[in-house]
Amino acid sequence: MFLDIYREKKVLLTGHTGFKGAWLATWLAQIGSEVVGFSLNPITQPNLFEINGLSNIVKHYIGDIRDAQRLAKVVQQESPDIIIHFAAQSLVLESYQNPLETFEVNALGTVNVLNAAVQSSNIAAVLVITTDKVYENHEWCWGYKENDHLGGHDPYSASKAMAEIAAASYRRSFGASSGLCIATARAGNVIGGGDFAENRLLPDSMKSLMSKQKIELRNPRSVRPWMHVLDPLCGYLWLGSKMLSEGESFAQAWNFAPKDHIGITCQQVVERVIDRWEEGDWIDVSEEAGPKEMNCLRLNGDKAAHELGWTPLYDWKDAVDATVDWFKLYHTGSNMFNFTAEQIHTYMKNFIY
């Protein structure tokens, strides 16, 4: 099993206090990795990092990836086997309000991570997590492939495309000479328990249902590649294990795409959420003059399937159901670390068999 490669390995996660970072920190700790985190304090209240008590499990550094000197000092001091870089300004609407910060964090911050890794002799691999939105979007009905043009209309998407270009530059300029594998990973719209971010469909829906309000839908007909958080995290771990065990042939850009090959709209997702929650309703609050968001976005995962042997486990309904189940239990005041660990264990068991 590829997860065995991480046992007793030191993994440095940037952005470990965020949604995906906290899930991966929980998973890695369960399989016996030594997890080190470098991140800002959690930006939402509540948040999965604190809910799961990860400050007691992870070696926890508070820092900003824009602070190149502090970041490099932590990387040199900890000397991890692999860095998985999540830290980002990750919201499209926020990027319209704070474009400069978005570019600084997502583009220059990524360069700081790469530079710190190149200067450290022990690190074998760096995996930079970007987004499905790095592609120049033409509203195609087919999924984007890794060799399609990068672009981005909004500052978030453009800044992540810049991070991809920076990673490719460091890979070509410094990777081979230093023995460092540098890869990037692009996943779909990731959902799951413990995401409390603003202006995201599932978190907004869950907040509305928990407060007995109608769910407000800005873009009911928009199509997105929905994935449960454990599917792309599994892909990241799989790719990282290949770089750690087999080397630079896997230092490339990779899509981790959802199981569904048909377009799933925001309206379909919200209606599934309401069915699983067993009560609630939604209203259309779309505005023609609002900030531009993509209407149709799909991702092609053929490369990961053919060259890595990786395919997702959950379809979009499984993803929604697992997310709602997490929030339903959270709403009752239950121990969410145990349930998060249980969802990870169930996923691993089903993925293996």
Side-chain angles (χ1 to χ4, degrees):
M1 184 58 185
F2 72 99
L3 293 176
D4 288 342
I5 290 173
Y6 291 93
R7 199 159 285 123
E8 299 182 359
K9 287 284 195 303
K10 183 182 285 191
V11 183
L12 192 152
L13 304 178
T14 70
H16 68 293
T17 61
F19 163 57
K20 285 203 290 186
W23 268 96
L24 190 56
T26 305
W27 193 344
L28 285 168
Q30 283 198 307
I31 61 176
S33 300
E34 182 181 351
V35 186
V36 178
F38 184 93
S39 181
L40 298 174
N41 282 312
I43 61 173
T44 66
Q45 286 297 335
N47 58 82
L48 186 62
F49 180 79
E50 292 176 341
I51 288 169
N52 276 2
L54 290 174
S55 61
N56 299 319
I57 299 171
V58 173
K59 191 170 184 180
H60 176 46
Y61 290 94
I62 294 297
D64 191 324
I65 57 170
R66 291 175 292 180
D67 185 345
Q69 187 174 2
R70 174 160 167 73
L71 174 63
K73 183 178 180 180
V74 170
V75 170
Q76 288 286 348
Q77 180 177 314
E78 292 297 334
S79 192
D81 296 287
I82 182 172
I83 297 175
I84 302 179
H85 172 44
F86 287 109
Q89 194 299 98
S90 58
L91 301 174
V92 172
L93 294 184
E94 174 70 18
S95 77
Y96 281 108
Q97 297 166 12
N98 295 295
L100 180 59
E101 180 181 343
T102 299
F103 281 107
E104 286 178 341
V105 173
N106 293 352
L108 185 56
T110 297
V111 170
N112 289 339
V113 172
L114 293 166
N115 211 51
V118 165
Q119 292 172 3
S120 177
S121 59
N122 260 359
I123 300 173
V126 178
L127 177 55
V128 176
I129 309 303
T130 61
T131 174
D132 54 350
K133 298 175 180 65
V134 297
Y135 295 104
E136 183 67 47
N137 190 278
H138 301 283
E139 305 289 351
W140 287 332
C141 61
W142 56 85
Y144 291 93
K145 296 182 178 180
E146 288 85 350
N147 57 355
D148 282 323
H149 288 296
L150 300 177
H153 176 96
D154 58 88
Y156 167 71
S157 303
S159 68
K160 283 295 197 173
M162 291 168 69
E164 286 275 355
I165 294 169
S169 173
Y170 266 78
R171 179 168 59 242
R172 296 183 183 114
S173 301
F174 310 110
S177 61
S178 64
L180 178 66
C181 296
I182 301 172
T184 58
R186 309 153 183 177
N189 269 48
V190 177
I191 61 176
D195 188 359
F196 295 91
E198 298 290 335
N199 297 315
R200 285 170 58 88
L201 182 62
L202 265 294
D204 288 348
S205 299
M206 301 319 305
K207 293 171 196 173
S208 296
L209 291 174
M210 287 189 288
S211 60
K212 298 190 179 297
Q213 298 176 349
K214 290 184 177 181
I215 299 169
E216 296 184 350
L217 257 181
R218 294 192 310 272
N219 302 292
R221 290 169 292 282
S222 291
V223 170
R224 296 288 184 268
W226 307 100
M227 304 180 75
H228 188 267
V229 63
L230 290 175
D231 266 331
L233 292 186
C234 177
Y236 304 160
L237 290 173
W238 193 309
L239 172 57
S241 73
K242 289 288 190 181
M243 288 195 290
L244 288 171
S245 62
E246 299 181 40
E248 63 180 299
S249 62
F250 294 93
Q252 307 172 31
W254 300 86
N255 286 346
F256 293 98
K259 193 171 188 176
D260 309 284
H261 297 289
I262 58 173
I264 309 300
T265 66
C266 294
Q267 180 176 336
Q268 288 174 279
V269 168
V270 164
E271 289 173 349
R272 180 76 180 189
V273 165
I274 291 169
D275 286 346
R276 189 73 173 187
W277 191 264
E278 299 180 313
E279 63 176 335
D281 201 358
W282 68 273
I283 55 172
D284 187 340
V285 296
S286 53
E287 298 179 17
E288 289 295 326
K292 179 177 174 60
E293 296 188 70
M294 299 173 189
N295 292 317
C296 183
L297 180 59
R298 296 182 185 173
L299 207 58
N300 181 297
D302 289 348
K303 179 181 172 182
H306 293 154
E307 297 185 29
L308 289 176
W310 176 89
T311 55
L313 181 63
Y314 291 161
D315 64 19
W316 75 274
K317 293 179 181 178
D318 297 326
V320 170
D321 291 353
T323 302
V324 174
D325 290 348
W326 192 99
F327 277 100
K328 283 179 80 171
L329 203 60
Y330 169 78
H331 195 47
T332 68
S334 300
N335 184 315
M336 296 316 298
F337 176 84
N338 288 345
F339 189 68
T340 304
E342 182 182 320
Q343 286 196 323
I344 292 169
H345 177 75
T346 300
Y347 182 92
M348 286 194 291
K349 185 172 67 173
N350 291 336
F351 190 86
I352 294 167
Y353 298 109

